[in-house]
Amino acid sequence: MQTMTDTPPEIAEMVRARLMARSGVERFRMGVEMFEAARRMVLASLPPNLSDAERKRCLFERLYGMTLPAAP
């Protein structure tokens, strides 16, 4: 899969080098914080009158791009 970017290669490498200079714990924490921010944005965009189950289903579908599998 080919990706499109408007970031010059030297800038992308600088950002990557700075990221990789962080510890594994710091990188993991950054990922968790980014996921939580995305989760909050999706939840804020959903209609307020959804049940908890509907909110969870919509959150799953928006984040993962697929229908939530039915419970066995």
Side-chain angles (χ1 to χ4, degrees):
M1 183 169 113
Q2 190 174 8
T3 60
M4 182 189 297
T5 180
D6 62 352
T7 305
E10 61 274 8
I11 301 300
E13 181 52 38
M14 180 184 71
V15 170
R16 183 180 188 289
R18 287 186 179 180
L19 177 62
M20 296 310 291
R22 295 177 179 259
S23 72
V25 170
E26 288 175 308
R27 292 193 313 266
F28 179 78
R29 186 173 292 133
M30 287 173 63
V32 169
E33 289 170 359
M34 287 187 282
F35 182 82
E36 282 300 314
R39 182 180 175 280
R40 286 191 303 271
M41 284 188 272
V42 170
L43 288 172
S45 75
L46 298 176
N49 59 338
L50 296 177
S51 69
D52 284 345
E54 290 172 317
R55 289 179 70 74
K56 288 177 183 179
R57 182 186 53 75
C58 288
L59 176 65
F60 180 91
E61 290 175 1
R62 186 88 56 91
L63 288 176
Y64 299 106
M66 65 174 86
T67 303
L68 183 64

